[in-house]
Amino acid sequence: MYFDTHAHYDSGAFNADWKELLASMPQKGVELIVNPGCDLESSRTAVALAEEFPHVYAAVGVHPSDCGEWGEGTLLELRQLASRPKVRAIGEIGLDYHYEDNCPREIQIPAFERQLALAKELDIPVIIHTREAVNDTLALLKKYQPRGIVHCFSGSVEMAKEVLKLGMYIGFTGVLTFKNARKAVEVVQYAPADRLLIETDCPYMAPEPLRGRRCDSTMLQYTLARMAELKGLTPEEMTAITWKNACAVYGLPE
């Protein structure tokens, strides 16, 4: 039973077949999926998908690259969306200084803080995106002490140590299977198995040997197999562990 802890079926890459694809996932071994939003529109869509498919859950939030649209009503709508029964987290949120031209850090940081505070108020986890912003991200995570996930983890072992000290989980995509994925490999080897998650971040980052294709949740098996190899476990053992971890962080029954 695979649990895709981070997938974007609201993406335009799935416009032609999202309904058939999502409906087929349980028959293909993908029992649960969490679809996070990146802005208000995609958050609304994520909630709609979760309400249509029993095996899909949603997260709602504004991605740092989309914070330029942040306004007075943004937090109010996020709070309203987060009250829906199938919303399990605030996300994906965070800091991205690689694409700072999309939204300057002077806007990203307060938007991130407001969403961290909202998650604390609602007592739900967060899904964190961070790119080229390690110090500021860690400073705010230490300030607000949220539950949740640092998704698509690309940091060092040193960063992972700080994230794990906070009690958070670390998610890995198909990048873990890439030949140049040195840092990801080191972090998986270092981190305890009970803090690891698998995700696709689809339609992006299809794993080897499917790299370059549109990614979907059926490709989790390759990331899972690589993670199991690195932890010295069987794929079946790693599948059970990551399933249990995902249910724990999202507050779902095993």
Side-chain angles (χ1 to χ4, degrees), residues 2-247:
Y2 296 121
F3 190 143
D4 191 347
T5 59
H6 195 112
H8 294 285
Y9 285 100
D10 56 279
S11 166
F14 295 112
N15 280 352
D17 60 350
W18 63 269
K19 188 178 285 285
E20 296 79 11
L21 194 60
L22 274 176
S24 72
M25 285 299 162
Q27 289 73 46
K28 295 176 179 177
V30 182
E31 296 286 342
L32 291 175
I33 298 167
V34 171
N35 194 115
C38 290
D39 55 21
L40 288 178
E41 182 178 357
S42 61
S43 293
R44 295 181 201 113
T45 302
V47 172
L49 290 174
E51 290 177 347
E52 181 168 354
F53 295 95
H55 55 285
V56 178
Y57 288 85
V60 298
V62 177
H63 186 283
S65 297
D66 295 295
C67 285
E69 300 177 10
W70 190 275
E72 288 299 318
T74 305
L75 198 65
L76 176 62
E77 183 166 357
L78 287 177
R79 182 181 284 106
Q80 292 170 339
L81 288 169
S83 70
R84 305 287 273 273
K86 293 199 74 181
V87 173
R88 307 308 301 179
I90 300 295
E92 69 183 276
I93 63 174
L95 300 173
D96 193 320
Y97 296 166
H98 182 78
Y99 290 113
E100 197 173 352
D101 288 347
N102 292 344
C103 184
R105 66 186 70 183
E106 292 78 16
I107 298 175
Q108 288 189 36
I109 290 172
F112 185 27
E113 289 208 65
R114 290 186 181 102
Q115 293 178 96
L116 287 170
L118 178 64
K120 291 289 282 188
E121 173 194 330
L122 301 177
D123 192 26
I124 58 175
V126 294
I127 301 170
I128 303 298
H129 169 105
T130 182
R131 189 172 185 184
E132 298 178 17
V134 172
N135 291 337
D136 287 350
T137 300
L138 286 176
L140 290 173
L141 292 180
K142 290 174 182 178
K143 177 179 177 180
Y144 286 91
Q145 301 279 313
R147 295 182 290 118
I149 304 162
V150 178
H151 107 96
C152 192
F153 195 83
S154 60
S156 63
V157 169
E158 289 69 29
M159 181 185 179
K161 288 178 181 177
E162 297 303 312
V163 170
L164 293 168
K165 283 179 190 175
L166 293 167
M168 299 185 77
Y169 293 77
I170 302 176
F172 290 89
T173 66
V175 169
L176 185 63
T177 68
F178 296 176
K179 292 177 182 177
N180 63 347
R182 179 183 57 83
K183 287 199 294 183
V185 165
E186 290 174 352
V187 171
V188 168
Q189 290 172 326
Y190 167 79
D194 65 0
R195 289 286 152 175
L196 297 176
L197 298 169
I198 54 171
E199 59 174 275
T200 57
D201 202 20
C202 65
Y204 316 108
M205 291 181 286
E208 297 287 0
L210 307 174
R211 193 170 178 180
R213 292 199 205 174
R214 182 190 73 172
C215 187
D216 67 57
S217 300
T218 62
M219 299 181 188
L220 281 173
Q221 60 182 302
Y222 299 100
T223 304
L224 188 286
R226 179 62 171 145
M227 185 178 285
E229 178 187 8
L230 292 169
K231 299 305 287 182
L233 299 169
T234 66
E236 292 77 16
E237 289 170 331
M238 199 75 243
T239 301
I241 290 168
T242 54
W243 176 273
K244 183 176 181 179
N245 295 347
C247 290

